[in-house]
Amino acid sequence: MVAFIRQYQYNSDMAPDRMQLQSMGKKGHESLKEYAQIWRDLAAQVPPPMMEKEMITIIVDTLLVFYYEKMVGYVPSSFVDLVFTSERIEVALKRGKFDHPVLMNASENWGK
């Protein structure tokens, strides 16, 4: 039993932590939904387990300022609601519904 624990201890040692989650950012080629799925998968490995409210707070803090401004006052009831709303913002941005010159010129670099 001790040998087994020693052999697989690195899994526990390598688990992501809250600081890693806070420093993440969406890559330019990722949709917000893809980013949220990757982020949530990592969040599920953080010890001790995170409450949904904490996950929502942390992921919103990782978004670009434009998205953060749109989401900061919004209090979703679940992580799924947050992703749905983020997707709506992303689609509206792609369709030119927001008059934001910096984003209009750099739409390929949203998550950088």
Side-chain angles (χ1 to χ4, degrees), residues 24-89:
M24 286 181 65
K26 186 179 97 48
K27 294 177 179 67
H29 66 279
E30 291 174 331
S31 69
L32 281 166
K33 184 175 184 175
E34 291 168 330
Y35 171 64
Q37 288 172 335
I38 292 166
W39 192 95
R40 178 105 187 226
D41 288 345
L42 287 173
Q45 300 172 38
V46 172
M50 299 172 68
M51 301 294 290
E52 187 122 358
K53 185 176 180 178
E54 182 183 15
M55 286 192 293
I56 291 167
T57 300
I58 292 174
I59 195 169
V60 168
D61 286 343
T62 70
L63 299 176
L64 287 176
V65 172
F66 176 80
Y67 292 100
Y68 179 82
E69 288 173 347
K70 303 284 184 245
M71 301 294 291
V72 73
Y74 170 63
V75 182
S77 59
S78 69
F79 196 85
V80 172
D81 287 345
L82 173 87
V83 173
F84 177 73
T85 302
S86 299
E87 285 182 297
R88 290 186 63 206
I89 293 169

Side-chain angles (χ1 to χ4, degrees), residues 5 11-12 23 32 42 49-50 95 109:
I5 292 172
N11 287 328
S12 179
S23 65
L32 281 166
L42 287 173
M50 299 172 68
R95 291 182 179 169
N109 298 316

Side-chain angles (χ1 to χ4, degrees), residues 64 66-67 93 98 100-110:
L64 287 176
F66 176 80
Y67 292 100
L93 182 60
F98 295 109
H100 197 282
V102 172
L103 288 173
M104 291 166 58
N105 293 332
S107 61
E108 292 299 314
N109 298 316
W110 298 354

